[in-house]
């Protein structure tokens, strides 16, 4: 892979070399009359003998270039887990509970910008596995109060409009532009929505690949289960629940216990 204008592709720079394939039509065709069949098709992502750790390594390294953020070891473990779930189109709920001022928002913002920038480009390389992202990567940010959700969204926006990000956008194999008006919409179809998850809020239906529930220890169970989770159903999307410790066990704690049990199986 490579491009013109004398620029060297970031994919090549980080050892991410493979033959660029033509986008196959109908790779992710779905039957509107058989939703269970659609879910099965979207869930079955086969990589064969290809080692997806190569892609994960590239996402981590190029993510550093996009955001200028060098993650700490515990943050990298979380990043890699999210990238692996996205690449396998696994409809997991990943929990991330850390102390305050531990870089929770920065890590999630880095992940969001990286996926919005790179997944549509990777969909052209791996249409069979990642064709679902060919029209963009769609993210929803939610929090108990609108101001809390806006805090993470603003972090995403700052990273997405940075000079570091623009250098990556200009890469010949990525070649993407972000809306200069200050929002989080890219011309590759990727977009980031921000919504309150308050019980009083009316959350309109969205179709998402990733839902990030911030300050999840305070979010109402009903809002998550009845309003946010359904937004991921069509794309077999991923949910991140991020937060800190709380006095009373809430949905974040409950999901953590479920995940612990699943990890033991």
């Amino acid at each position: 892979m490579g491009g013109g204008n004398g620029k060297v592709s970031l994919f090549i720079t980080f050892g991410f070399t493979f033959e660029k394939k033509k986008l196959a039509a109908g790779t992710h065709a779905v039957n509107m009359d058989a939703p269970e069949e659609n879910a099965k098709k979207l869930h079955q992502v086969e990589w064969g003998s290809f080692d997806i750790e190569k892609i994960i390594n590239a996402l981590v390294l190029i993510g550093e270039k996009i955001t200028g953020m060098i993650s700490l070891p515990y943050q990298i473990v979380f990043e890699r887990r999210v990238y692996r779930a996205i690449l396998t189109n696994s409809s997991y709920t990943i929990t991330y509970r850390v102390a305050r001022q531990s870089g929770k928002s920065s890590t999630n913002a880095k992940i969001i910008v990286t996926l919005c920038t790179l997944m549509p480009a990777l969909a052209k390389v791996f249409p069979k596995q990642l064709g679902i992202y060919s029209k963009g990567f769609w993210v929803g940010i939610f929090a108990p109060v609108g101001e809390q959700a806006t805090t993470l969204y603003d972090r995403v926006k700052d990273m997405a409009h940075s000079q570091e990000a623009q250098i990556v956008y200009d890469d010949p194999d990525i070649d993407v532009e972000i809306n200069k008006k200050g929002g989080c919409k890219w011309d590759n179809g990727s977009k980031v929505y921000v919504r309150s998850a308050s019980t009083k809020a009316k959350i309109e239906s969205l179709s998402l690949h990733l839902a990030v529930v911030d300050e999840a220890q305070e979010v109402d169970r009903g809002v998550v289960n009845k309003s946010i989770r359904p937004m991921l159903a069509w794309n077999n999307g991923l949910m991140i629940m991020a937060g800190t410790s709380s006095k009373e066990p809430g949905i974040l704690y409950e999901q953590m216990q479920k995940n612990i049990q699943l990890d033991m199986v």
Side-chain angles (χ1 to χ4, degrees), residues 2 28-29 32-33 45 63 73 77-78 92 113 121 125 137 145 154 158 181 195 200 203 218-219 232 248 254-255 263:
H28 284 277
M32 296 296 287
D33 297 321
V45 176
V77 171
F78 173 60
Y92 298 139
V113 176
V125 181
F137 190 84
V145 179
D154 286 344
D158 288 344
K181 294 182 179 179
R195 299 289 187 271
K200 297 180 180 179
I203 308 175
E218 300 174 7
V219 175
L232 300 166
E248 299 294 331
E254 293 168 0
Q255 186 64 50
D263 288 342

Side-chain angles (χ1 to χ4, degrees), residues 162-179:
S162 67
Q163 292 182 349
E164 292 89 347
Q166 189 59 55
I167 292 172
V168 176
Y169 297 160
D170 291 339
D171 179 86
D173 283 328
I174 297 173
D175 189 26
V176 65
E177 290 290 336
I178 191 167
N179 190 317

Side-chain angles (χ1 to χ4, degrees), residues 51 69 91 184 225 238 241:
D51 184 6
M69 174 183 167
S91 58
C184 290
N225 294 325
L238 176 72
M241 284 189 182

Side-chain angles (χ1 to χ4, degrees), residues 15 31 37 39 48 52 66 68 71 108 116 129 135 149-150 165 169 176-177 181 199 212 228-229 231 237 240 255-256:
N31 182 353
E37 179 184 334
I52 65 169
I66 294 172
S71 297
N108 276 318
C116 286
Q129 292 84 0
K135 294 183 179 180
T150 301
Y169 297 160
V176 65
E177 290 290 336
K181 294 182 179 179
T199 55
V212 180
I228 300 176
R229 286 196 192 279
M231 300 182 194
I240 294 174
Q255 186 64 50
M256 287 175 61

Side-chain angles (χ1 to χ4, degrees), residues 17-84:
T17 56
F18 40 73
E19 183 180 356
K20 190 170 184 178
K21 301 176 183 177
K22 199 171 182 179
L23 185 63
T27 299
H28 284 277
V30 295
N31 182 353
M32 296 296 287
D33 297 321
E36 69 284 352
E37 179 184 334
N38 299 339
K40 184 177 180 182
K41 283 184 178 181
L42 290 175
H43 186 70
Q44 293 178 339
V45 176
E46 300 294 337
W47 286 94
S49 60
F50 185 84
D51 184 6
I52 65 169
E53 295 301 314
K54 292 181 179 180
I55 306 180
I56 294 171
N57 291 340
L59 288 170
V60 171
L61 292 170
I62 299 176
E64 292 177 355
K65 291 289 184 180
I66 294 172
T67 63
M69 174 183 167
I70 306 299
S71 297
L72 297 171
Y74 70 90
Q75 295 168 323
I76 291 177
V77 171
F78 173 60
E79 287 178 36
R80 297 183 69 89
R81 185 66 189 87
V82 172
Y83 295 150
R84 188 174 295 107

Side-chain angles (χ1 to χ4, degrees), residues 125-158:
V125 181
F126 296 105
K128 184 176 181 180
Q129 292 84 0
L130 304 177
I132 191 174
Y133 308 121
S134 62
K135 294 183 179 180
F137 190 84
W138 308 323
V139 183
I141 296 174
F142 306 90
V145 179
E147 290 181 1
Q148 292 171 320
T150 301
T151 297
L152 175 54
Y153 181 81
D154 286 344
R155 192 70 56 87
V156 172
K157 187 167 60 176
D158 288 344

